[in-house]
Amino acid sequence: MFKPTRRAVAFSLLAFVAACGKPESKFRAYNGPAVTQVVVNKGDRKMYLLHGTTVLKSYDVGLGNVPVGHKQFEGDGKTPEGVYYIDRFNPRSRYHLSVGVSYPNERDAALATALGRHAGGDIFIHGRGPEGNRFAQKTRDWTAGCIAVKDEEIEEVYAMLRPGVPIVINP
């Protein structure tokens, strides 16, 4: 009859705990049709990832804490409106993951300058992270001008998007 040694039992328990305790990765794979455009309809609080005219995924979103109107300068709490591009990816975002939007463009920068202000930047599509989860319980529009989705949703978005994809942000 087999009688396990302490060493064998200890290694077995260690292997079992290691297998059970492995956290799920926030990085997903995507093998579907390429996303050719992102459309955000601010008034409806909706974001669509499209391949041509086909909607691949849609999401409910939160916006800047002053959601109506086009972003004019840093600190105004507004989400930009217009045509931009996906320009960067941040795997270490404090909001779980984030995908950069190419705001400001030349027109945005000129408007802010005319107002004697700085246009700002760092506009992202991002998850909530711990901070956003607290804010989102109180108000839907809590960001400083970004587009927010749930953490599990930004994992999909992050996997599906590529640099250069246009994003159209409508009022």
Side-chain angles (χ1 to χ4, degrees):
M1 175 176 215
F2 174 72
K3 186 170 183 176
T5 65
R6 282 187 190 184
R7 179 182 232 164
V9 169
F11 280 120
S12 296
L13 285 173
L14 210 94
F16 177 75
V17 169
C20 291
K22 185 178 178 185
E24 192 175 315
S25 174
K26 63 183 176 181
F27 300 104
R28 297 188 186 185
Y30 176 71
N31 297 315
V35 174
T36 58
Q37 184 178 34
V38 179
V39 175
V40 176
N41 292 331
K42 289 173 51 176
D44 296 336
R45 304 299 190 277
K46 289 294 236 183
M47 179 173 72
Y48 303 93
L49 303 187
L50 294 101
H51 174 78
T53 58
T54 303
V55 175
L56 300 173
K57 293 292 281 192
S58 67
Y59 303 93
D60 292 325
V61 299
L63 302 171
N65 57 31
V66 181
V68 176
H70 175 60
K71 184 165 198 61
Q72 297 181 335
F73 52 84
E74 185 174 42
D76 67 6
K78 296 182 180 197
T79 301
E81 296 172 357
V83 178
Y84 300 93
Y85 298 90
I86 300 303
D87 66 354
R88 61 202 182 278
F89 292 79
N90 183 0
R92 294 189 180 107
S93 171
R94 71 193 252 195
Y95 301 108
H96 195 62
L97 291 170
S98 59
V99 178
V101 175
S102 64
Y103 174 88
N105 58 29
E106 287 181 22
R107 198 171 98 211
D108 298 322
L111 173 63
T113 299
L115 296 171
R117 306 291 295 264
H118 182 266
D122 287 337
I123 299 297
F124 288 87
I125 303 167
H126 61 66
R128 291 180 178 170
E131 181 181 342
N133 281 325
R134 286 191 304 276
F135 288 132
Q137 291 175 5
K138 298 174 190 155
T139 181
R140 181 177 200 165
D141 300 317
W142 56 270
T143 75
C146 296
I147 300 159
V149 295
K150 295 176 182 172
D151 288 348
E152 50 276 4
E153 294 171 337
I154 193 60
E155 291 175 7
E156 292 176 342
V157 171
Y158 194 94
M160 293 174 77
L161 291 180
R162 298 289 174 259
V165 170
I167 175 169
V168 179
I169 307 172
N170 299 310

